[in-house]
Amino acid sequence: MTYNLTEGCLETIMAGGDVSNPIIQILGMKKIQSGSSNKERFRLVVSDGKHTVSQAMLAAQNNEQILHAGDNTVVRVVRFISSAFNNQNSGKEQRILLLLEVDIVAPGNVVGRQIGSPVQLTDSKKNESAAPKKVPQQYAPKPNEVASTGYNYSGENNAPSLENQMVHPITSLSPYQNKWIIKARVTNKSAIRTWSNSRGEGKLFSMDLVDSSGEIRCTAFREQVDKYYDYVQVDKIYFISKCQLKAANKKFSSLKNDYEMTTTSETIIQECQSDDTAIPTTCFNFVTIDKISNMEEGALVDICAICKNVSDVQVFQAKTTGRDLTKRDVALVDQSNTSINLTLWGNEALSFDGINNPVVVIKGAKIGEFGGGKSLSCLSSTLMKINPDIPESFRIRGWYDQVGCNENVVDISAKSGLSPFSSPWLSFKEVKDKGLGNGDKADYYQTMATILLMRSENLTYKACPTESCNKKVIDLENGMFRCEKCNREYPNFKYRLLSSINMADWSGNTWVSTFTSEAETILGMTAQEVGEQIENNSEAAANIVERVNFKQFVFKCRAKMETYNDEARLKTIAVEVKPVHFKEYNNYLIGRIKQLMS
DNA sequence: CCCCCCCC
């Protein structure tokens, strides 16, 4: 077992410099008198493999664990202070190293030996380096140490190991300073993509890097794709240095960083062997689904949601490129009681398993807009995790299983009448203002409306009795009925309904045509019952329609502009009539109020 | 140096 001590760190520290989480070895411990305090204190001899320092003290709270671990213990120093004081005898400045917080990497009995051949850090050395306030130095490791570990993948074969050097937080990186090393976890790696345009062609891939300070995207082009693509693995930690930084384009990345980086031929990427839990996994900036209705098309978002439904895989040809595309739609819902459609492509579409309503966490999905509804689409750079072990995931699992599965949701992807989702809620005024029905195709919407008047004239008609044929028949007045469509005469017919209804919502009123099925729902009678009553009593039609005045329903409407005598008029047909589901309707209203307030 | 991510 090799322990990588942070070689040379003591020289830096004892000169007043900073080193992040240095790894050192404790060679010896000696109990000292602690003056006024009753607490035991220990003086340590510590080594970084290159130098030893005996002016080190252990903070009292660490005593027990270190005593127990014994001599030769290797520790990671999480917090330390190097405190300067003037030696009363010599008059020189000296420093004492106080170890405030340490993590044991390996106890003494496991290490079993002194690592390396450290020499005492001399006073002259300390004074020499104390002169200018030191920036950490670059320390070349012993050559065989890098070779033997075999995890070095750098620009040059004999590039120095970055392992024992000071690392910089990702958030500190900028184009103005190029001497840095980061220690970051790769949280996402794109597929390799090729491009070809007027400026040339090539290939690239990108990866997302995270440390405790933040995140950044790194892209590799051309020959660096070959060099790094297989080497770099998601979830592993790497030391990275010498990439080029430039301003990030927010359109293509949801990462919280104003910069992004590109590998160069100078770049060094080295795997960090130990999994450091201090380096976080992916950093998400979740928004709730309801917020997406107010966000711009093209923006990228992170969401944590439950897969409520999945569509089958669909294959179609892209209009522009002619390529065969594979997709699958996933309906996602979260605690905002709002659902949105997420489109998966290619292999992700094929392999997606929506069984048991898994938690779906996505980072960097693109917001799309279609038919008035919002939707999400996965890009090649989008990270998707199913049932990840993160608090938000457990929280939404609990919510869905206990509450969410029974809630009614507002679907912000709602669009055309043919979609598996419901149509968008629009008021009659909005229908008018938005100019619905002016396109080539009909537009669909739903509204909660009150019936003001249902026309009784020609409420029923006699239709062909053949099940699939609803054509009006001609009464031959001899007990037979002729259907022109079927080119047949029948001894019977069936009643069908047809009526115009003037209906109003809060914003205005409009005339809507209804046919048999919807009129039956409104009237609460079958077409046959209506027809028979009218046949027996000519006054019946007026009475029947009068009963529905001021009744309220949710109407799903189909709107299409049509031309009568050179005059354009919006023709509206009720294609579905449902009783008002107040909980669902209130969800919609609450959603709109929230939209107005945000 | 890409930045296309497609369809209804």
Side-chain angles (χ1 to χ4, degrees):
Chain A
M1 184 68 198
T2 308
Y3 300 98
N4 289 310
L5 301 185
T6 310
E7 275 200 348
C9 70
L10 292 173
E11 190 177 349
T12 305
I13 290 168
M14 297 311 275
D18 196 11
V19 179
S20 169
N21 295 344
I23 309 240
I24 59 174
Q25 186 176 30
I26 294 169
L27 296 180
M29 289 180 260
K30 196 174 138 194
K31 193 173 166 181
I32 51 171
Q33 254 347 91
S34 60
S36 58
S37 166
N38 288 328
K39 283 256 171 74
E40 287 183 323
R41 279 202 177 277
F42 291 84
R43 184 166 180 161
L44 307 179
V45 179
V46 295
S47 160
D48 63 11
K50 187 178 181 186
H51 294 121
T52 61
V53 162
S54 54
Q55 304 92 321
M57 298 248 295
L58 195 56
Q61 65 267 26
N62 287 310
N63 284 352
E64 218 167 77
Q65 58 166 156
I66 297 302
L67 268 180
H68 189 253
D71 288 355
N72 293 326
T73 295
V74 173
V75 295
R76 177 188 292 105
V77 182
V78 180
R79 278 193 306 136
F80 68 86
I81 295 172
S82 81
S83 178
F85 64 93
N86 283 314
N87 186 313
Q88 300 290 318
N89 300 325
S90 69
K92 280 185 185 166
E93 190 193 82
Q94 290 199 330
R95 278 183 181 269
I96 188 154
L97 171 62
L98 193 57
L99 303 178
L100 297 172
E101 194 183 333
V102 296
D103 287 336
I104 293 174
V105 174
N109 62 344
V110 172
V111 182
R113 63 187 161 90
Q114 174 187 293
I115 297 167
S117 316
V119 296
Q120 193 176 350
L121 188 63
T122 60
D123 282 342
S124 60
K125 186 95 179 175
K126 276 183 274 179
N127 290 341
E128 194 178 286
S129 41
K133 195 85 171 171
K134 286 200 70 161
V135 200
Q137 303 169 11
Q138 310 262 321
Y139 295 104
K142 282 172 261 167
N144 62 344
E145 215 169 280
V146 171
S148 65
T149 49
Y151 51 77
N152 183 7
Y153 202 126
S154 53
E156 301 140 46
N157 287 335
N158 55 352
S161 165
L162 303 180
E163 175 94 40
N164 295 333
Q165 301 187 35
M166 193 182 107
V167 295
H168 297 64
I170 283 176
T171 46
S172 75
L173 303 188
S174 78
Y176 314 109
Q177 206 280 93
N178 57 17
K179 281 192 162 53
W180 49 260
I181 300 166
I182 56 166
K183 181 182 180 182
R185 194 186 297 276
V186 172
T187 55
N188 195 23
K189 183 171 84 167
S190 79
I192 296 172
R193 191 164 59 81
T194 57
W195 84 88
S196 173
N197 60 28
S198 58
R199 278 166 297 185
E201 55 180 60
K203 59 182 173 180
L204 72 127
F205 81 96
S206 68
M207 53 188 167
D208 297 344
L209 307 172
V210 171
D211 73 7
S212 59
S213 78
E215 51 185 347
I216 193 163
R217 176 159 297 166
C218 177
T219 305
F221 289 93
R222 301 200 169 98
E223 59 272 21
Q224 275 134 52
V225 173
D226 303 325
K227 195 164 166 184
Y228 295 121
Y229 192 77
D230 291 332
Y231 177 68
V232 168
Q233 288 170 50
V234 171
D235 288 335
K236 289 196 172 173
I237 299 172
Y238 297 85
F239 292 103
I240 299 173
S241 124
K242 293 180 182 163
C243 292
Q244 195 177 67
L245 275 104
K246 59 169 188 171
N249 188 336
K250 298 285 177 190
K251 210 173 133 194
F252 305 115
S253 165
S254 71
L255 304 201
K256 264 196 180 162
N257 201 319
D258 291 337
Y259 302 112
E260 59 189 30
M261 54 197 214
T262 305
T263 61
T264 70
S265 57
E266 302 290 296
T267 294
I268 302 174
I269 300 181
Q270 291 172 2
E271 188 186 335
C272 169
Q273 291 299 71
S274 53
D275 183 34
D276 187 343
T277 52
I279 308 285
T281 51
T282 315
C283 145
F284 295 101
N285 305 299
F286 292 124
V287 298
T288 50
I289 294 172
D290 58 329
K291 300 284 185 301
I292 297 173
S293 46
N294 285 333
M295 293 176 71
E296 269 186 49
E297 188 177 1
L300 301 176
V301 283
D302 304 353
I303 71 166
C304 176
I306 290 282
C307 164
K308 201 172 169 77
N309 267 308
V310 283
S311 78
D312 290 334
V313 169
Q314 297 158 60
V315 178
F316 62 92
Q317 227 180 24
K319 266 184 183 167
T320 44
T321 61
R323 277 200 289 176
D324 275 336
L325 298 172
T326 308
K327 75 152 195 172
R328 192 201 292 267
D329 286 333
V330 177
L332 299 176
V333 64
D334 72 6
Q335 290 100 320
S336 64
N337 276 330
T338 310
S339 70
I340 193 163
N341 182 60
L342 168 71
T343 304
L344 307 178
W345 302 95
N347 284 337
E348 265 185 342
L350 292 168
S351 63
F352 186 84
D353 184 0
I355 201 118
N356 294 331
N357 303 99
V359 175
V360 177
V361 165
I362 45 174
K363 183 177 176 70
K366 194 177 87 166
I367 300 176
E369 211 165 335
F370 180 67
K374 286 281 191 359
S375 57
L376 294 175
S377 184
C378 275
L379 312 179
S380 64
S381 58
T382 303
L383 174 68
M384 179 168 73
K385 290 191 174 228
I386 305 301
N387 294 322
D389 289 337
I390 58 170
E392 292 89 345
S393 171
F394 299 127
R395 215 172 294 142
I396 199 165
R397 171 88 274 145
W399 165 80
Y400 185 77
D401 292 347
Q402 287 160 39
V403 188
C405 58
N406 298 315
E407 295 282 316
N408 292 301
V409 296
V410 175
D411 177 29
I412 60 166
S413 297
K415 37 183 191 288
S416 86
L418 297 171
S419 100
F421 305 101
S422 59
S423 306
W425 288 95
L426 291 175
S427 68
F428 291 135
K429 182 177 186 302
E430 285 170 316
V431 168
K432 206 164 140 190
D433 292 348
K434 286 171 182 272
L436 254 70
N438 280 316
D440 292 340
K441 287 178 186 164
D443 290 313
Y444 292 82
Y445 64 94
Q446 61 181 329
T447 186
M448 202 267 271
T450 305
I451 294 170
L452 300 184
L453 178 71
M454 184 173 189
R455 283 200 197 281
S456 62
E457 295 81 19
N458 305 316
L459 180 58
T460 64
Y461 66 94
K462 292 170 177 150
C464 177
T466 308
E467 193 167 353
S468 57
C469 179
N470 293 322
K471 178 81 181 156
K472 188 177 176 176
V473 291
I474 301 158
D475 190 343
L476 298 175
E477 315 249 329
N478 59 2
M480 295 299 280
F481 303 87
R482 175 166 176 79
C483 175
E484 292 289 344
K485 193 175 170 189
C486 301
N487 194 21
R488 255 189 75 177
E489 286 167 21
Y490 299 94
N492 60 334
F493 63 87
K494 70 185 175 210
Y495 278 112
R496 301 271 305 161
L497 300 175
L498 175 64
S499 177
S500 272
I501 298 178
N502 190 254
M503 57 178 75
D505 64 16
W506 60 270
S507 71
N509 71 322
T510 199
W511 284 97
V512 177
S513 301
T514 56
F515 299 107
T516 306
S517 153
E518 291 70 38
E520 283 179 331
T521 305
I522 292 165
L523 294 168
M525 296 168 73
T526 64
Q528 189 63 27
E529 287 166 349
V530 175
E532 283 169 11
Q533 283 190 24
I534 293 174
E535 195 146 338
N536 297 333
N537 174 6
S538 57
E539 301 290 291
N543 293 333
I544 288 167
V545 297
E546 206 172 306
R547 290 205 295 270
V548 304
N549 283 352
F550 307 117
K551 280 196 174 175
Q552 293 183 317
F553 295 93
V554 171
F555 295 90
K556 184 189 268 188
C557 298
R558 177 192 192 273
K560 179 85 186 77
M561 202 56 84
E562 287 185 3
T563 309
Y564 298 96
N565 306 323
D566 296 334
E567 197 190 329
R569 270 203 287 174
L570 187 67
K571 166 108 172 152
T572 305
I573 296 165
V575 294
E576 199 181 329
V577 177
K578 290 182 292 187
V580 182
H581 189 306
F582 286 99
K583 200 167 171 183
E584 184 182 354
Y585 185 60
N586 283 339
N587 266 340
Y588 154 68
L589 291 178
I590 290 164
R592 289 206 53 165
I593 290 166
K594 281 182 181 164
Q595 276 181 31
L596 287 169
M597 297 199 313
S598 64

